Amino acid sequence: MIKNSKIFKTAFLLISVLLLAGFTGSKAQTVDVDVNINPNNPSPGEEFEVTFSTDNANGLFYLGLEVGFDQDNFEFVSVQPGELMNPNPLSVGGELEANRIGVSVVRVAGAAAGSGNVMTLTFKVKDDAVPNSYNLTLSAIDGRNSTGAALATNIEPETIVVDVPEIANI
């Protein structure tokens, strides 16, 4: 009986070590997202785009975030899914509270791989915008894979500077 007990304890210890090594050795998937603005100095009355792209989609299925901005000088127009989220992606965007919107894109099947645009936000500089530098602040960033598991999602930069120039009097 003592011999069986020793074998059981040894087997239990060996299985525990193997399981522990398997769990600690697995890495969480990470998606690095770059943010670009075009044009970066839009004039009053002009639209500009904020594009989110990645070189390593790593199973991305959903990306959502919040954007803080100055509603006295800017207006949110739309969110469009990028080609990386094809086929037939869904997107949603809307006001959460004053000066803050929520936006997201999701695939309807499969997970993204490779590189490309994830989504593009369009804003408009209001006609009466005051010339200045303004920040668009990204927060509550949430990337998910097709099973709903969180992906480590790094977005750079998390603050985007939009320069609204003075309009020259002619």
Side-chain angles (χ1 to χ4, degrees):
M1 190 68 146
I2 294 175
K3 198 172 198 174
N4 285 341
S5 177
K6 265 186 159 178
I7 292 172
F8 178 74
K9 286 180 184 178
T10 304
F12 180 76
L13 180 62
L14 182 58
I15 291 171
S16 298
V17 168
L18 290 174
L19 285 174
L20 183 60
F23 285 125
T24 58
S26 64
K27 282 182 150 179
Q29 291 177 311
T30 300
V31 177
D32 296 316
V33 179
D34 295 317
V35 183
N36 294 294
I37 180 173
N38 186 34
N40 42 345
N41 55 350
S43 298
E46 187 176 17
E47 289 186 350
F48 65 94
E49 295 181 337
V50 179
T51 302
F52 297 80
S53 61
T54 185
D55 289 332
N56 63 328
N58 281 343
L60 184 67
F61 184 79
Y62 165 88
L63 180 65
L65 56 106
E66 295 179 13
V67 182
F69 66 101
D70 184 340
Q71 285 183 322
D72 291 336
N73 293 287
F74 300 106
E75 159 186 342
F76 172 67
V77 176
S78 68
V79 55
Q80 294 296 318
E83 74 276 358
L84 194 59
M85 301 306 280
N86 284 331
N88 305 315
L90 303 173
S91 63
V92 66
E95 185 174 293
L96 299 173
E97 62 186 26
N99 297 314
R100 181 166 300 284
I101 59 167
V103 294
S104 63
V105 292
V106 64
R107 295 174 60 96
V108 294
S115 62
N117 291 341
V118 178
M119 74 173 134
T120 299
L121 309 180
T122 303
F123 290 87
K124 181 179 179 183
V125 180
K126 291 187 175 180
D127 292 333
D128 59 350
V130 177
N132 204 345
S133 288
Y134 297 95
N135 290 336
L136 300 181
T137 307
L138 309 178
S139 62
I141 299 157
D142 184 23
R144 302 280 169 165
N145 68 19
S146 61
T147 66
L151 296 172
T153 308
N154 302 317
I155 291 190
E156 290 293 329
E158 288 187 19
T159 301
I160 305 152
V161 178
V162 181
D163 293 316
V164 177
E166 286 191 47
I167 297 179
N169 292 330
I170 300 175

